């Protein structure tokens, strides 16, 4: 499978601050990046989809001004949680997809965000 | 719209025995893919098996196999010779226009 990294693996921040999460595809070019959110003991919920060089498309109910996604290169995408609040505490997972690949998605190891 | 339903929140199996995890789905897409992913306590999502909807033959990967019933929109996962390392949360997923996950089934393996 593909090699995907996320940084940081876990982060604790104060309420009101912003946190940036990086996702890198290490052995292929990610033309599309999916960002998911997972609450404890729940399923993965798609937050947004971004294509390299384009604006992200957000799922219904996801605030685009709060969850800023940048996908400026084929190997790096970032998710910034702005003005984080305790309810934003969750596990965030990225999933890159390569050019020409329309089916199998691989996943990053995830980032655990705790907002105090 | 795409939906995936896993009706078993938890399942248990004795080591070396066989267990089947259920999944049903719904989609209006004519071309789609189905997956089973495993999420161990590390929370890293691991692809277990995939099935192209246009293929009638059920996919197999070593001890893992699926029973794909397209007309019934059913996609169950069978794990044979269960091992302690199989204990995890298992997600059924459907990829039509995007990847959608079921609620998950926690699998416990008893020694």
């Amino acid at each position: 499978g593909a090699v995907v990294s996320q940084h940081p693996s876990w982060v604790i921040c104060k309420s009101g601050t912003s946190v940036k999460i990086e996702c890198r595809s290490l052995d292929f070019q990610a033309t599309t990046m999916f960002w998911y959110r997972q609450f404890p003991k729940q399923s993965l919920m798609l937050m947004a989809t971004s294509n390299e060089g384009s604006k992200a498309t957000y799922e219904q109910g996801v605030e685009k001004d709060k969850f800023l996604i940048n996908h400026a290169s084929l190997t790096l995408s970032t998710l910034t949680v702005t003005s984080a609040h305790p309810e934003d505490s969750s596990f965030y997972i990225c999933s890159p997809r390569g050019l020409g690949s329309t089916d199998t998605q691989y996943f990053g190891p995830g980032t655990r965000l705790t907002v105090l | 719209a795409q939906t995936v339903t896993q009706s078993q929140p938890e399942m248990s199996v004795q080591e070396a025995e066989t267990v089947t995890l259920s999944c049903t789905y719904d989609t209006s897409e004519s071309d789609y893919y189905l997956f089973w992913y495993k999420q161990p306590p590390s929370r890293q999502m691991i692809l277990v098996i995939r099935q192209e909807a246009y293929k009638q033959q059920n996919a197999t990967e070593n001890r893992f196999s699926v029973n794909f019933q397209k007309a019934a929109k059913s996609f169950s996962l069978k794990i044979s010779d269960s091992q302690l390392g199989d204990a995890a949360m298992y997600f059924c997923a459907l990829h039509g226009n995007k990847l959608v996950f079921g609620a998950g089934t926690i699998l416990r393996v008893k020694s």
Side-chain angles (χ1 to χ4, degrees), chain A residues 13-83:
Chain A
C13 70
K14 292 182 179 180
S15 185
T17 61
S18 294
V19 174
K20 179 184 284 189
I21 301 169
E22 292 186 350
C23 176
R24 295 180 186 274
S25 56
L26 302 180
D27 59 350
F28 71 102
Q29 294 183 324
T31 51
T32 304
M33 185 68 74
F34 302 90
W35 284 94
Y36 293 84
R37 180 173 174 172
Q38 185 181 30
F39 291 108
K41 299 185 179 180
Q42 293 189 22
S43 188
L44 280 72
M45 300 301 296
L46 180 64
M47 298 175 64
T49 303
S50 70
N51 293 307
E52 186 260 338
S54 301
K55 287 185 178 180
T57 301
Y58 291 81
E59 295 298 303
Q60 191 173 8
V62 178
E63 299 176 57
K64 61 180 176 66
D65 294 329
K66 182 169 188 59
F67 298 99
L68 302 180
I69 291 172
N70 183 285
H71 190 178
S73 80
L74 291 172
T75 58
L76 172 65
S77 176
T78 61
L79 167 67
T80 301
V81 183
T82 62
S83 186

Side-chain angles (χ1 to χ4, degrees), chain B residues 6-77:
Chain B
Q6 292 178 252
S7 58
Q8 305 156 316
E10 289 190 28
M11 291 285 284
S12 292
V13 63
Q14 198 70 34
E15 198 174 4
E17 296 295 308
T18 296
V19 65
T20 299
L21 307 184
S22 302
C23 173
T24 58
Y25 63 93
D26 195 16
T27 180
S28 57
E29 302 285 332
S30 58
D31 188 19
Y32 55 91
Y33 299 83
L34 292 159
F35 305 88
W36 279 97
Y37 284 92
K38 169 184 178 181
Q39 189 179 42
S42 69
R43 303 192 77 171
Q44 171 72 62
M45 294 289 284
I46 301 168
L47 177 65
V48 175
I49 199 166
R50 55 169 275 181
Q51 173 85 41
E52 294 93 334
Y54 62 86
K55 288 188 177 179
Q56 291 186 343
Q57 186 174 6
N58 289 325
T60 62
E61 282 290 338
N62 300 314
R63 296 183 295 108
F64 300 88
S65 61
V66 298
N67 183 1
F68 176 44
Q69 301 290 326
K70 191 171 184 178
K73 295 185 176 177
S74 170
F75 183 63
S76 61
L77 174 69

